Amino acid sequence: MPTPARLRILLSASLLWLAGGPLAAQSSPRGPAPAAVRRAALTITDSDVRRRIAVIADDSMRGRPTPSRELDRTAAYIAEEFRRFGLRPGGDSGTFIQRYPILRVQLDTASFVTIAGHGVEGRWTMGQDLAPGAPLPIAADVISGPVVLLKGMPSDTARPFGRVPVRGAVVVQTLPRSMLMRGSQLVPLLAKAAAAGVRGWIVVLPLPRSFVAFQVRTMLAPQLVFAGRDEEGPVRIPVLLMRDSSAFDVLRAAGEDPVALRDTATRDIRALGGFRVTLSARRRVIEELSAPNVIGVLEGSDPRLRDEFVLFSAHMDHIGVTRGDLGCIAAGADSICNGADDNASGTSGVVELAEAFATLTPRPRRSLIFLAVSGEERDLWGSGWYTEHPAVPLAQTVADLNMDMIGRNWRDTIAVIGKEHSSLGEVADRVAQDHPELNVRLIGDIWPTEDFYRRSDHFNFARRGVPILFFFNGVHPDYHRPTDSPDRIDAEKEARIVRMVFYIGLEVANAAQRPAWNPESRRQIVRNRH
């Protein structure tokens, strides 16, 4: 699971689309007999969970960063298991593997900003006074637009720009230095800005030159970026940081009082007539790479419903080793972040589910997709690619049951995030009541300020309209540390959770009708496609 600060100061997350009517209260009588269901569920064992995690999170996998040879080895292992179970390949060219493009890019050191008007011009290149606030879009053209001055954070979050026209403009926002460490608060504002047609964003802060120099050095290093469609991300526009002492020289010529601009307790937004900003913030491509997803399909038994699909997902990647770019920090002599809980646990769960359902006769009425994605630790790249290039149309995908970190913490409890957003929550609660032998209590999101709903792969499905449930045991002191190792997994507990997911998935797959969004949740989460 990626940290919320992955894109340094200002970045994070995205939005979502739909699927149909209420879920039937009971499974179809044409589904498998109870004895057959129990036999299939009991193929999910703690010994199998332990064995699979030991393979995926072994030191030889070197933390499975995206991209890497070790990640490809993990994908090959999962694909071979899917083949052995008799699943149908759902990847590229008749294989189980779907690959997506990644670019290694580097910031052009000649990137600059100018603000000009009324005979005054300021020009800054990347360095002492100007730095990227987040990884910049790959742009071939210079961006230019009129200036809109935003003082502080808008008080009206629903209409942050009020009546001020911002389409085609570059927003110059003045903020106190305290906002530097609370950049996540800017993410919703940047998302609204992108949707409103803002072309660029400059955050003016009282920054020390040492911070600007550090930020530029970091951003000048070659960086990996997702080469798929990213127009739904919150930052589709260049976001730059500027030292206020530099910007105020020009803003003073526009009649602005620097002392008043620093007093951000007073909020204001207005166009600066006669002033224009020009941004040149290009990145050049220095290498083309790729990374894998693994897709297996099990065809359903009902001639009418087999063209609808229940999807089970987990991410197989982690953050690699010390000195990588994903934040692995050594623990003594141990330099490998194994990612046993995050997320060999969820990945082994998907493989266990594939095996259990493959043994079930007759099969569920709807078809099933088993998906292991990569790039989750790099802002959900693999699931983002899959939702743009699905094995089956997303309109035919009725639910995604996602598992991320299910092998630690409570022995008898699992958080099921997203329960309140669709009828899947009612199904999960009912199945839990029907299976007291599992001793698994389902709770909702008890960490709302952490925004976990947007931080794992189910989010890419939800924002495109697929109802989701996210099974998650919360973080722990070993999160993103070398100490997240296989020996700390509670395999017996995980096996019970995966059996619970099996029963919930079976209920959804056999129901007469597909899950339904709660209308208000759909309005807030599902993004209308253009």
Side-chain angles (χ1 to χ4, degrees):
M1 170 170 294
T3 60
R6 171 61 37 74
L7 298 183
R8 265 198 159 70
I9 305 174
L10 302 170
L11 208 47
S12 219
S14 314
L15 299 170
L16 325 158
W17 91 253
L18 132 84
L23 201 61
Q26 301 294 330
S27 296
S28 163
R30 290 183 288 165
V37 171
R38 281 196 300 273
R39 283 195 299 272
L42 289 174
T43 66
I44 301 167
T45 66
D46 53 344
S47 60
D48 278 357
V49 166
R50 191 177 295 109
R51 173 174 57 84
R52 296 189 193 286
I53 290 176
V55 171
I56 296 168
D58 187 73
D59 277 356
S60 65
M61 293 298 192
R62 296 183 58 77
R64 312 178 306 281
T66 303
S68 66
R69 286 178 296 180
E70 292 79 14
L71 179 63
D72 285 340
R73 285 175 51 205
T74 304
Y77 164 73
I78 297 166
E80 175 56 24
E81 292 293 87
F82 286 177
R83 184 201 62 77
R84 190 167 64 85
F85 303 153
L87 303 191
R88 173 168 61 83
D92 302 332
S93 304
T95 71
F96 288 101
I97 305 296
Q98 177 190 59
R99 301 199 73 86
Y100 59 90
I102 297 170
L103 301 177
R104 192 182 301 277
V105 301
Q106 191 163 29
L107 182 66
D108 186 339
T109 56
S111 298
F112 65 88
V113 168
T114 62
I115 303 177
H118 301 294
V120 177
E121 178 176 302
R123 179 185 173 103
W124 304 270
T125 56
M126 297 292 175
Q128 289 189 332
D129 298 292
L130 184 71
L136 301 173
I138 298 172
D141 300 318
V142 172
I143 294 172
S144 184
V147 178
V148 169
L149 181 64
L150 173 61
K151 185 179 173 185
M153 292 294 290
S155 55
D156 185 351
T157 56
R159 299 180 66 251
F161 309 116
R163 297 180 179 274
V164 177
V166 294
R167 182 166 296 280
V170 175
V171 173
V172 176
Q173 181 184 23
T174 59
L175 287 175
R177 185 175 177 180
S178 59
M179 283 299 299
L180 188 63
M181 303 310 296
R182 302 201 308 270
S184 60
Q185 295 181 19
L186 289 170
V187 170
L189 182 59
L190 293 169
K192 284 186 167 59
V198 172
R199 301 203 68 199
W201 197 279
I202 299 174
V203 184
V204 177
L205 290 155
L207 297 172
R209 278 202 166 96
S210 59
F211 175 86
V212 173
F214 169 80
Q215 187 79 351
V216 170
R217 281 197 307 273
T218 302
M219 292 296 182
L220 282 178
Q223 309 225 347
L224 295 173
V225 298
F226 180 52
R229 290 176 58 180
D230 64 354
E231 78 277 8
E232 292 187 354
V235 182
R236 306 195 301 270
I237 54 179
V239 179
L240 302 173
L241 305 179
M242 184 180 292
R243 297 184 70 237
D244 63 0
S245 57
S246 299
F248 286 169
D249 290 341
V250 174
L251 294 176
R252 188 181 290 110
E256 300 297 328
D257 178 4
V259 175
L261 287 172
R262 282 194 170 101
D263 178 18
T264 52
T266 304
R267 296 163 180 168
D268 187 24
I269 182 168
R270 60 187 179 276
L272 287 187
F275 277 80
R276 195 166 188 86
V277 174
T278 300
L279 308 179
S280 172
R282 300 187 182 94
R283 294 187 296 180
R284 60 188 180 88
V285 176
I286 58 179
E287 188 177 9
E288 297 182 359
L289 304 164
S290 69
N293 294 328
V294 189
I295 309 165
V297 182
L298 190 69
E299 189 172 83
S301 60
D302 188 295
R304 183 176 65 87
L305 293 179
R306 67 169 54 128
D307 290 333
E308 294 182 352
F309 296 80
V310 179
L311 187 143
F312 302 89
S313 64
H315 75 89
M316 59 184 169
D317 63 306
H318 193 54
I319 63 171
V321 299
T322 304
R323 295 182 301 278
D325 65 342
L326 285 169
C328 178
I329 300 172
D334 191 350
S335 63
I336 300 172
C337 287
N338 301 89
D341 194 28
D342 184 16
N343 184 35
S345 65
T347 305
S348 68
V350 167
V351 178
E352 288 292 303
L353 288 168
E355 183 174 28
F357 278 111
T359 67
L360 187 57
T361 303
R363 290 178 178 175
R365 299 176 67 193
R366 286 183 175 84
S367 297
L368 310 177
I369 295 176
F370 302 93
L371 174 65
V373 298
S374 62
E376 192 268 1
E377 300 289 359
R378 293 189 181 275
D379 301 309
L380 316 184
W381 287 356
S383 56
W385 182 261
Y386 178 89
T387 52
E388 290 293 345
H389 305 83
V392 300
L394 287 187
Q396 294 168 221
T397 303
V398 306
D400 171 37
L401 307 184
N402 184 51
M403 294 174 288
D404 192 346
M405 300 180 65
I406 58 170
R408 297 280 298 270
N409 295 348
W410 319 289
R411 285 203 39 81
D412 62 350
T413 302
I414 190 73
V416 186
I417 294 174
K419 283 175 58 182
E420 71 277 21
H421 293 313
S422 76
S423 58
L424 285 174
E426 301 166 12
V427 175
D429 288 340
R430 184 172 63 250
V431 169
Q433 290 179 356
D434 290 345
H435 291 279
E437 78 281 4
L438 296 179
N439 191 29
V440 175
R441 183 170 65 104
L442 308 185
I443 62 173
D445 186 355
I446 60 174
W447 315 277
T449 61
E450 295 294 328
D451 199 22
F452 286 125
Y453 187 86
R454 297 171 184 265
R455 286 173 56 186
S456 191
D457 296 292
H458 59 277
F459 182 64
N460 276 325
F461 291 92
R463 70 179 182 176
R464 289 167 172 85
V466 178
I468 66 92
L469 292 177
F470 171 29
F471 298 84
F472 175 55
N473 59 211
V475 297
H476 41 69
D478 301 317
Y479 171 64
H480 281 198
R481 302 281 295 173
T483 46
D484 182 10
S485 52
D487 60 296
R488 302 197 179 191
I489 292 293
D490 184 343
E492 190 275 336
K493 166 215 165 174
E494 176 172 335
R496 287 184 284 115
I497 290 170
V498 177
R499 286 185 209 124
M500 179 69 74
V501 178
F502 170 86
Y503 286 123
I504 293 170
L506 181 63
E507 178 90 358
V508 177
N510 282 336
Q513 293 181 306
R514 57 197 291 168
W517 281 94
N518 296 331
E520 180 59 21
S521 296
R522 180 188 166 195
R523 186 187 69 79
Q524 292 181 5
I525 296 170
V526 178
R527 187 182 191 278
N528 292 323
R529 304 291 300 215
H530 299 293

